[in-house]
Structures are given as C-alpha cells and as structure tokens.
Amino acid sequence: MIQKKKNIQDNTLNLLFKSKNMYGESLISTNKEILPFIYGSRHNHTIINLKNVSFFLKRIFKLIKYIIQKNEKILIIGNADEIKFLFTSAFKKNNSNVIFFNKEWINGLLTNQIMNTTFNKVINYLIKEQQIKLILIIKSSIKDTFLNQEISTLKIPIISLINTNQTIKNINYPIITNSKNIQSIYTIMYLLRKIF
C-alpha cells in the first residue's frame, strides 16, 4: 500500500516535471507570498518546488474525491480557452454534481446578484442553501484578486491554480503552477479529470 502511494506521487511529480511546470515568473514579478513554494532561481526566473506542488495536489485530490463521494456540489470557475476541453458535454453529463461557470466573471456576480439570469439564480440558490461545498478556480480572465476576494466571503473552501506572480490570499488550497504554459495547464487538467 505504501509503495502504491509512493508510485502515485512519483508519477504526479514526473508529469509536472515533463510539462515544465517548475518554471515561474521572473524574480522581480514573483509575489513574496509564493516564496515558500519556490525551490530557487535560474536565469533570473523562479523555480517552483514540484515536490511541494505534488504533495498539495495529493491533498486536493483527496478533498475533491471526498466531496464527490458525499454527493456534494462543486462549483468550477474558468473561462480561458486553454481549459475549455475540460467542459465537454460528456464530462458534464457524467458529473451532475459539478456546476460549471465558463463565462466572463463580473464583479458582484455572487455577492450582489447583479446578473438576473437563470444560471445565476441557480448558483445563488445553491449558495443560500449551503449546497456548494467546494469551489475550484481553474483559470479566469478576470483579475484574480477581485474574484478571490468575492468568493472568500462565501466561506466555502477554494482551490485555485496560482501563477507565481499572483496572490494566494483568500485561497485555502493553492496549486502553484506556470499557468502561462499551456502544457502545464493541460497536465493539471489531465490530473483533475482523472479524479472526477
């Protein structure tokens, strides 16, 4: 059993390494909050500690599996082109407890209920009834600080992909990654899809 767990962690680590997930932003633009996740630097760019990322991913995957097993609802937010392949109709059909928000996020969408659409009414109802137990922010076009701040007011655990120049404030479970590298995003998406 211990050997099996070690193999899973090694496989995750190898996938992250092969996808060049370890290269962060320049030292100047790297957020100081991210430093505990940084291994070092090379050619004036930060190197992400993939062992830490792999460890956090393992914990995050356990949490997602737990929520799925309990038949609770998960809200996934992301509208970047690189992640649209995750939101296939087959994936949505097989994961009825997952609510996808893959449109442009507008500030106040949840807290002020500024959009009077059917979809928004559904999300606001689920939040009011405390049915959404986890929020996963993959990649959104809105500035992350506004999105994180608004969602954190809901007191629901948040998982988010974080680039080294972003903030981890208001994020319960950050996945430090190179979100500007499509290969890195695809690898994280591949690992996430295996969980659902």
Side-chain angles (χ1 to χ4, degrees), residues 67-68 70-76 95-99 122 125-127 130-135 156:
I67 299 287
I68 291 167
K70 283 191 73 180
N71 218 18
E72 305 280 13
K73 297 200 181 300
I74 298 173
L75 173 62
I76 297 181
N95 295 283
S96 56
N97 282 356
V98 178
I99 300 144
V122 168
Y125 171 78
L126 292 171
I127 286 166
Q130 298 181 340
Q131 289 188 35
I132 294 175
K133 299 298 182 185
L134 186 66
I135 296 174
I156 299 170

Side-chain angles (χ1 to χ4, degrees), residues 110-111 113 120-133 154 156:
L110 292 177
T111 50
Q113 302 177 19
N120 237 55
K121 285 176 183 174
V122 168
I123 289 183
N124 281 297
Y125 171 78
L126 292 171
I127 286 166
K128 189 181 173 186
E129 296 297 311
Q130 298 181 340
Q131 289 188 35
I132 294 175
K133 299 298 182 185
L154 303 173
I156 299 170

Side-chain angles (χ1 to χ4, degrees), residues 137-186:
I137 304 170
I138 299 177
K139 198 174 179 189
S140 180
S141 57
I142 190 172
K143 190 164 172 54
D144 57 301
T145 47
F146 299 130
L147 181 60
N148 299 348
Q149 191 175 353
E150 180 177 357
I151 293 174
S152 69
T153 62
L154 303 173
K155 307 294 182 200
I156 299 170
I158 303 168
I159 298 168
S160 182
L161 267 65
I162 303 286
N163 207 357
T164 55
N165 64 348
Q166 291 177 296
T167 180
I168 56 172
K169 192 178 177 185
N170 299 317
I171 300 296
N172 306 97
Y173 303 95
I175 302 172
I176 309 300
T177 184
N178 182 353
S179 60
K180 291 181 181 176
N181 178 359
I182 291 174
Q183 199 177 354
S184 295
I185 294 291
Y186 281 6

